[in-house]
Amino acid sequence: MAGARRMSDKLAEFTAFRQRMNERILAEDNQVVRRFFALDTQTYKAGALDVKTKEMLGLVASLVLRCDDCISYHVAQCKEAGVERDAFFEVFSVGLVVGGSIVIPHLRRAVDLLDQLESGSESDKTACADHA
């Protein structure tokens, strides 16, 4: 239970920091930054590909790039989009094959987060702001 509480606290802290900093960054008068954030947001909206597929692609890219913040975000977004456990592991396998063994530590953290999200604890769900 202590591990689940730490993960919940970590997710809440990550989400709060992310949202606070996104707001802070977007408060600046910089069109390049604002446009990039908007582009990122638009990219993950449904189009020829649905949101679920785009989030799975984002998760693969995040695994390959070894960005734990992005991995956490996309695991949560994939879960919210309805990705099932078996599909998660297919996504993880693509990231692992493309990225190689250096992805394994990030894969461990992704599976740990998935386990926490699947535990059904509402407090473990991340309500992240825009992706960027």
Side-chain angles (χ1 to χ4, degrees), residues 109-124:
R109 288 187 281 276
V111 172
D112 185 46
L113 175 57
L114 177 59
D115 289 345
Q116 295 301 317
L117 291 173
E118 288 182 340
S119 74
S121 171
E122 287 298 314
S123 64
D124 287 341

Side-chain angles (χ1 to χ4, degrees), residues 63-94:
L63 285 163
V64 172
L65 293 170
R66 302 183 310 275
C67 176
D68 285 332
D69 282 1
C70 295
I71 292 166
S72 295
Y73 177 83
H74 288 292
V75 166
Q77 293 302 307
C78 282
K79 187 72 179 146
E80 187 175 307
V83 175
E84 300 288 333
R85 189 172 187 86
D86 58 343
F88 266 106
F89 275 85
E90 288 190 22
V91 169
F92 294 155
S93 68
V94 172

Side-chain angles (χ1 to χ4, degrees), residues 90-110:
E90 288 190 22
V91 169
F92 294 155
S93 68
V94 172
L96 183 59
V97 166
V98 172
S101 63
I102 198 163
V103 169
I104 291 172
H106 305 278
L107 175 60
R108 289 181 187 123
R109 288 187 281 276

Side-chain angles (χ1 to χ4, degrees), residues 6 10 13 32 46 122 124:
R6 279 193 306 268
K10 184 176 176 181
E13 184 179 312
V32 173
E122 287 298 314
D124 287 341

